[in-house]
Amino acid sequence: MSQRKRPSRRTVLQTLGSLGTATIAASAVAGARTGRLETRAGDNYRRSNGRALEDVPKDATRYIAVVDRIVDGEHVVLLLEKECELVDQHVTPRSQLDEVEESDILIVVIEDEELLTAQQIPERPEQCR
């Protein structure tokens, strides 16, 4: 007979929480790749400009963005990531992203250095952690 030790309640709960988080992140990543994000009642995803990610031009560039800082309450500085690598930064007026705070994570679409739309996601996609 083996002397197998049962996992603690904390370990089981952490594992279940991680699986749930991974599922949400995977659906966000899959949605970002297809240009759409599934939203359900109760989700707290916010969009700027009232445009959905599906409604932007196909040649526009999609990024994962992190709100780096808010300057003087007037400008939002976004760090842009493509395939989990930091590639650029973008500064946009606070009025376009009035609900974001520092460290928020977004999916943004930029064309000709103009922010077309932004959608907040709950956390960074799993493959980029």
Side-chain angles (χ1 to χ4, degrees):
M1 263 213 265
S2 70
Q3 294 290 346
R4 194 168 136 187
K5 188 176 173 185
R6 290 182 57 165
S8 70
R9 179 179 288 181
R10 174 180 281 173
T11 302
V12 171
L13 291 175
Q14 285 176 336
T15 302
L16 290 174
S18 297
L19 290 173
T21 302
T23 301
I24 291 169
S27 66
V29 169
R33 286 187 180 159
T34 62
R36 51 185 276 245
L37 212 95
E38 297 296 322
T39 55
R40 299 175 301 278
D43 284 346
N44 291 321
Y45 302 126
R46 296 187 290 251
R47 294 186 175 120
S48 71
N49 302 335
R51 293 176 81 171
L53 290 173
E54 306 89 33
D55 298 335
V56 295
K58 294 294 180 194
D59 58 336
T61 307
R62 288 171 169 74
Y63 299 97
I64 298 295
V66 178
V67 178
D68 183 47
R69 61 191 178 278
I70 299 170
V71 181
D72 298 329
E74 295 180 19
H75 297 93
V76 178
V77 179
L78 301 172
L79 299 179
L80 304 176
E81 299 177 5
K82 193 77 168 166
E83 298 176 8
C84 304
E85 296 291 325
L86 181 64
V87 293
D88 202 356
Q89 76 174 14
H90 180 79
V91 179
T92 192
R94 177 78 168 143
S95 60
Q96 278 195 288
L97 297 171
D98 58 348
E99 295 183 7
V100 300
E101 300 296 329
E102 289 182 7
S103 302
D104 281 353
I105 301 169
L106 313 164
I107 297 174
V108 298
V109 179
I110 296 177
E111 182 178 45
D112 297 329
E113 297 187 27
E114 179 186 348
L115 178 67
L116 299 181
T117 189
Q119 187 169 1
Q120 188 172 0
I121 57 176
E123 59 191 27
R124 183 179 303 278
E126 181 71 27
Q127 81 253 19
C128 295
R129 288 190 207 161

